[in-house]
Amino acid sequence: MYNKIKEATEYITSKIDIKPLIGLILGSGLGYIADEIEDPIIIDYKNIPHFPQSTVTGHEGKMVIGMLEGKPVVTLKGRFHAYEGHQLSKLIFPIYVFKELGVEGLILTNAAGGVNRTLNPGDIVANADFINFAMKNPLIGPNLDELGPRFPAMAKPIDRKWLKRIEEKAEEKRIKISEGTYCWMMGPSYETPAEIKMLEKFEGDLVGMFTMPEIIAANHCGIKAVAFSAVTNMAAGILHQPLNHKEVMEVAERIKYKFAKVVKIAIKTF
Ligand code: HPA
């Protein structure tokens, strides 16, 4: 696996002449932020050796590298989910490629359902902590000793100092960001009302179908991470109406400028 990561990194390095400092992974309907990257080098996932391929509508399969807010960034436009049938260990491959490229900070965005009843569709919530309700771990398998320890700590899943700087800047710009615990559920079916009741009892605030494996990988290989959810809907059973993917994409579209500002603040304050 380590050799595959090296090969993918070498291919990417041969196409660029900057060293990305920040990695950006953009969730459902949020890929537009990559369109603002200056002097972008765009690489199709399918051309990168050993890179996983995305299959969901609304997820493009492109790596974009360039400058954003004055910093060198690498972004994945279109992320991968366990529900696409990939092995989890394969899905965190890009995080390790980021690490080898020289990335030190990772910004993750996702669309999530609101579990906490004080949330509303359109809210932006920093993922302050995580619960693994998928009951799977992407690090299962031989450990990549070159990249990190067998038993990485998850006591500080995100970089609190970085998040504090982001929150302060967002407040100055009158963008409201709250904090919550993100619950990873496997998908692709949305949750049942009983499952959401369970998450509420465990004090989960958000529910989504990935992000946590990426956080685990970032902690494993020593990349500082922050993650933000766009609340695209209230989770199942809270509003007594069925969820659909279209609604999720519509809300993501509605808040895209606000969300883009948060991502830019995160880049600036790293
Ligand atoms: N559940 C899981 N994932 C999601 C949801 C949800 O309600 N909304 C957006 N992603």
Side-chain angles (χ1 to χ4, degrees):
M1 186 60 130
Y2 187 58
N3 285 339
K4 290 182 176 170
I5 293 163
K6 281 265 182 222
E7 275 173 45
T9 308
E10 277 161 22
Y11 175 81
I12 297 159
T13 313
S14 74
K15 305 271 173 216
I16 57 175
D17 51 16
I18 57 168
K19 187 176 165 213
L21 174 70
I22 296 172
L24 200 56
I25 302 187
L26 306 167
S28 286
L30 306 167
Y32 54 86
I33 296 164
D35 299 337
E36 293 190 34
I37 291 177
E38 294 158 33
D39 304 322
I41 303 287
I42 300 170
I43 306 174
D44 277 338
Y45 293 166
K46 61 177 186 298
N47 294 333
I48 306 172
H50 317 295
F51 220 70
Q53 308 296 322
S54 181
T55 60
V56 194
T57 334
H59 290 245
E60 296 173 72
K62 287 181 171 45
M63 178 179 279
V64 186
I65 299 162
M67 301 296 289
L68 193 55
E69 297 295 299
K71 301 220 166 116
V73 301
V74 50
T75 78
L76 293 187
K77 236 180 132 171
R79 64 136 59 89
F80 313 101
H81 299 83
Y83 62 68
E84 290 175 75
H86 299 290
Q87 257 184 332
L88 278 175
S89 57
K90 188 97 184 141
L91 294 176
I92 53 169
F93 186 87
I95 308 290
Y96 296 124
V97 172
F98 280 8
K99 175 75 182 178
E100 291 294 305
L101 285 170
V103 164
E104 294 173 23
L106 179 67
I107 302 165
L108 302 170
T109 67
N110 60 63
V115 173
N116 185 318
R117 288 162 193 269
T118 65
L119 293 172
N120 290 298
D123 284 355
I124 296 177
V125 187
N127 301 165
D129 208 339
F130 297 84
I131 307 180
N132 185 345
F133 276 108
M135 308 290 172
K136 298 239 161 35
N137 198 295
L139 303 183
I140 288 174
N143 186 50
L144 295 171
D145 294 329
E146 297 89 345
L147 290 164
R150 174 73 289 190
F151 302 108
M154 286 297 292
K156 293 178 181 159
I158 55 127
D159 190 288
R160 291 265 9 150
K161 287 187 188 145
W162 185 10
L163 177 58
K164 188 156 186 285
R165 293 195 298 275
I166 297 167
E167 287 170 340
E168 283 168 4
K169 261 270 167 316
E171 199 179 338
E172 273 173 32
K173 291 186 187 284
R174 307 212 182 288
I175 301 169
K176 189 173 163 262
I177 305 177
S178 53
E179 289 190 12
T181 295
Y182 177 98
C183 302
W184 173 31
M185 295 286 268
M186 187 61 85
S189 51
Y190 287 113
E191 300 71 32
T192 63
E195 284 167 340
I196 296 303
K197 251 192 234 165
M198 172 188 77
L199 302 186
E200 273 188 286
K201 289 224 162 83
F202 282 101
E203 301 193 1
D205 300 301
L206 303 151
V207 59
M209 297 179 196
F210 210 56
T211 301
M212 196 177 175
E214 294 157 332
I215 290 284
I216 292 173
N219 277 263
H220 180 231
C221 67
I223 299 178
K224 291 176 177 160
V226 287
F228 297 91
S229 293
V231 177
T232 50
N233 56 278
M234 292 314 287
I238 292 186
L239 293 182
H240 308 287
Q241 68 194 34
L243 308 181
N244 62 68
H245 188 59
K246 190 163 160 271
E247 175 194 358
V248 168
M249 301 303 274
E250 276 168 7
V251 178
E253 175 68 23
R254 176 155 65 77
I255 65 163
K256 70 191 218 180
Y257 294 107
K258 186 168 75 163
F259 212 16
K261 276 189 201 155
V262 173
V263 172
K264 286 182 190 167
I265 291 170
I267 295 169
K268 235 190 191 134
T269 55
F270 182 67

mmCIF file of all heavy atoms in Angstrom, residues 5 30 37 78 84 97 117 145 152-153 178 202 204 206 220 238 255 268:
data_model
loop_
_atom_site.group_PDB
_atom_site.id
_atom_site.type_symbol
_atom_site.label_atom_id
_atom_site.label_comp_id
_atom_site.label_asym_id
_atom_site.label_seq_id
_atom_site.Cartn_x
_atom_site.Cartn_y
_atom_site.Cartn_z
ATOM 1 N N ILE A 5 0.836 4.525 -2.613
ATOM 2 C CA ILE A 5 0.704 5.933 -2.209
ATOM 3 C C ILE A 5 1.844 6.742 -2.834
ATOM 4 O O ILE A 5 1.629 7.830 -3.376
ATOM 5 C CB ILE A 5 0.711 6.046 -0.659
ATOM 6 C CG1 ILE A 5 -0.558 5.397 -0.082
ATOM 7 C CG2 ILE A 5 0.844 7.492 -0.201
ATOM 8 C CD1 ILE A 5 -0.507 5.080 1.396
ATOM 9 N N LEU A 30 -20.825 20.619 -2.901
ATOM 10 C CA LEU A 30 -19.980 21.689 -2.356
ATOM 11 C C LEU A 30 -18.682 21.862 -3.148
ATOM 12 O O LEU A 30 -17.807 22.626 -2.772
ATOM 13 C CB LEU A 30 -19.660 21.400 -0.878
ATOM 14 C CG LEU A 30 -20.888 21.162 0.019
ATOM 15 C CD1 LEU A 30 -20.475 20.583 1.356
ATOM 16 C CD2 LEU A 30 -21.659 22.448 0.229
ATOM 17 N N ILE A 37 -10.075 28.324 -7.340
ATOM 18 C CA ILE A 37 -8.627 28.146 -7.222
ATOM 19 C C ILE A 37 -7.925 28.805 -8.410
ATOM 20 O O ILE A 37 -8.340 28.649 -9.558
ATOM 21 C CB ILE A 37 -8.296 26.638 -7.121
ATOM 22 C CG1 ILE A 37 -8.808 26.126 -5.768
ATOM 23 C CG2 ILE A 37 -6.800 26.372 -7.301
ATOM 24 C CD1 ILE A 37 -8.611 24.655 -5.570
ATOM 25 N N GLY A 78 -15.325 15.912 -5.190
ATOM 26 C CA GLY A 78 -15.943 14.593 -5.254
ATOM 27 C C GLY A 78 -15.199 13.681 -4.318
ATOM 28 O O GLY A 78 -14.042 13.356 -4.510
ATOM 29 N N GLU A 84 -20.291 3.245 -1.565
ATOM 30 C CA GLU A 84 -20.052 2.991 -2.986
ATOM 31 C C GLU A 84 -19.466 1.602 -3.216
ATOM 32 O O GLU A 84 -19.281 1.192 -4.359
ATOM 33 C CB GLU A 84 -19.115 4.053 -3.563
ATOM 34 C CG GLU A 84 -19.775 5.417 -3.663
ATOM 35 C CD GLU A 84 -18.810 6.495 -4.121
ATOM 36 O OE1 GLU A 84 -18.484 6.512 -5.309
ATOM 37 O OE2 GLU A 84 -18.386 7.297 -3.279
ATOM 38 N N VAL A 97 -2.002 10.330 0.357
ATOM 39 C CA VAL A 97 -1.366 11.004 -0.777
ATOM 40 C C VAL A 97 -1.156 12.484 -0.423
ATOM 41 O O VAL A 97 -0.093 13.049 -0.682
ATOM 42 C CB VAL A 97 -2.197 10.826 -2.067
ATOM 43 C CG1 VAL A 97 -1.650 11.678 -3.204
ATOM 44 C CG2 VAL A 97 -2.239 9.352 -2.476
ATOM 45 N N ARG A 117 -32.250 19.188 17.730
ATOM 46 C CA ARG A 117 -33.454 19.908 17.299
ATOM 47 C C ARG A 117 -33.302 21.419 17.271
ATOM 48 O O ARG A 117 -34.183 22.125 16.767
ATOM 49 C CB ARG A 117 -34.637 19.514 18.204
ATOM 50 C CG ARG A 117 -35.112 18.110 17.916
ATOM 51 C CD ARG A 117 -35.953 17.525 19.032
ATOM 52 N NE ARG A 117 -36.102 16.091 18.801
ATOM 53 C CZ ARG A 117 -37.097 15.542 18.113
ATOM 54 N NH1 ARG A 117 -38.069 16.300 17.623
ATOM 55 N NH2 ARG A 117 -37.144 14.239 17.931
ATOM 56 N N ASP A 145 3.293 1.588 8.745
ATOM 57 C CA ASP A 145 4.207 2.121 9.760
ATOM 58 C C ASP A 145 4.919 3.391 9.301
ATOM 59 O O ASP A 145 5.290 4.233 10.113
ATOM 60 C CB ASP A 145 5.267 1.064 10.128
ATOM 61 C CG ASP A 145 4.631 -0.135 10.830
ATOM 62 O OD1 ASP A 145 3.603 0.059 11.528
ATOM 63 O OD2 ASP A 145 5.149 -1.262 10.662
ATOM 64 N N PRO A 152 -3.412 4.810 16.809
ATOM 65 C CA PRO A 152 -3.402 6.269 16.931
ATOM 66 C C PRO A 152 -4.452 6.774 17.920
ATOM 67 O O PRO A 152 -5.539 6.207 18.028
ATOM 68 C CB PRO A 152 -3.731 6.748 15.514
ATOM 69 C CG PRO A 152 -4.370 5.598 14.837
ATOM 70 C CD PRO A 152 -3.887 4.348 15.494
ATOM 71 N N ALA A 153 -4.107 7.840 18.628
ATOM 72 C CA ALA A 153 -5.056 8.453 19.570
ATOM 73 C C ALA A 153 -6.135 9.189 18.780
ATOM 74 O O ALA A 153 -5.881 9.695 17.693
ATOM 75 C CB ALA A 153 -4.315 9.432 20.467
ATOM 76 N N SER A 178 -21.894 26.954 14.619
ATOM 77 C CA SER A 178 -22.004 26.306 15.932
ATOM 78 C C SER A 178 -21.113 25.070 15.929
ATOM 79 O O SER A 178 -20.428 24.789 14.951
ATOM 80 C CB SER A 178 -23.460 25.975 16.240
ATOM 81 O OG SER A 178 -24.018 25.235 15.179
ATOM 82 N N PHE A 202 -27.552 9.573 22.460
ATOM 83 C CA PHE A 202 -26.093 9.539 22.637
ATOM 84 C C PHE A 202 -25.476 10.931 22.464
ATOM 85 O O PHE A 202 -24.272 11.065 22.345
ATOM 86 C CB PHE A 202 -25.456 8.539 21.665
ATOM 87 C CG PHE A 202 -25.612 7.107 22.098
ATOM 88 C CD1 PHE A 202 -26.572 6.275 21.532
ATOM 89 C CD2 PHE A 202 -24.800 6.589 23.100
ATOM 90 C CE1 PHE A 202 -26.713 4.957 21.941
ATOM 91 C CE2 PHE A 202 -24.932 5.268 23.517
ATOM 92 C CZ PHE A 202 -25.898 4.451 22.930
ATOM 93 N N GLY A 204 -25.559 12.918 19.936
ATOM 94 C CA GLY A 204 -25.083 13.268 18.593
ATOM 95 C C GLY A 204 -25.874 14.473 18.108
ATOM 96 O O GLY A 204 -27.036 14.654 18.476
ATOM 97 N N LEU A 206 -25.291 15.688 14.608
ATOM 98 C CA LEU A 206 -25.337 15.635 13.139
ATOM 99 C C LEU A 206 -25.195 14.198 12.709
ATOM 100 O O LEU A 206 -24.563 13.408 13.404
ATOM 101 C CB LEU A 206 -24.142 16.406 12.558
ATOM 102 C CG LEU A 206 -24.013 17.856 12.983
ATOM 103 C CD1 LEU A 206 -22.550 18.276 12.966
ATOM 104 C CD2 LEU A 206 -24.829 18.735 12.047
ATOM 105 N N HIS A 220 -4.152 9.608 12.166
ATOM 106 C CA HIS A 220 -3.159 8.534 12.048
ATOM 107 C C HIS A 220 -1.828 9.068 11.511
ATOM 108 O O HIS A 220 -0.773 8.764 12.048
ATOM 109 C CB HIS A 220 -3.722 7.447 11.119
ATOM 110 C CG HIS A 220 -2.820 6.286 10.890
ATOM 111 N ND1 HIS A 220 -2.515 5.829 9.636
ATOM 112 C CD2 HIS A 220 -2.139 5.478 11.752
ATOM 113 C CE1 HIS A 220 -1.695 4.790 9.733
ATOM 114 N NE2 HIS A 220 -1.468 4.550 11.007
ATOM 115 N N ILE A 238 -37.625 13.758 12.555
ATOM 116 C CA ILE A 238 -37.691 15.021 13.302
ATOM 117 C C ILE A 238 -38.778 15.926 12.737
ATOM 118 O O ILE A 238 -39.502 16.566 13.472
ATOM 119 C CB ILE A 238 -36.294 15.693 13.372
ATOM 120 C CG1 ILE A 238 -35.394 14.816 14.255
ATOM 121 C CG2 ILE A 238 -36.383 17.122 13.893
ATOM 122 C CD1 ILE A 238 -34.029 15.356 14.564
ATOM 123 N N ILE A 255 -26.770 27.525 0.385
ATOM 124 C CA ILE A 255 -25.827 28.133 1.334
ATOM 125 C C ILE A 255 -24.396 28.146 0.810
ATOM 126 O O ILE A 255 -23.459 28.326 1.564
ATOM 127 C CB ILE A 255 -25.892 27.444 2.712
ATOM 128 C CG1 ILE A 255 -25.425 25.994 2.625
ATOM 129 C CG2 ILE A 255 -27.265 27.542 3.312
ATOM 130 C CD1 ILE A 255 -25.085 25.458 4.004
ATOM 131 N N LYS A 268 -7.275 30.725 5.330
ATOM 132 C CA LYS A 268 -6.534 31.921 5.762
ATOM 133 C C LYS A 268 -5.947 31.774 7.155
ATOM 134 O O LYS A 268 -4.869 32.271 7.433
ATOM 135 C CB LYS A 268 -7.493 33.115 5.732
ATOM 136 C CG LYS A 268 -6.955 34.230 4.876
ATOM 137 C CD LYS A 268 -7.740 35.496 5.016
ATOM 138 C CE LYS A 268 -7.288 36.449 3.928
ATOM 139 N NZ LYS A 268 -8.422 37.075 3.250
#
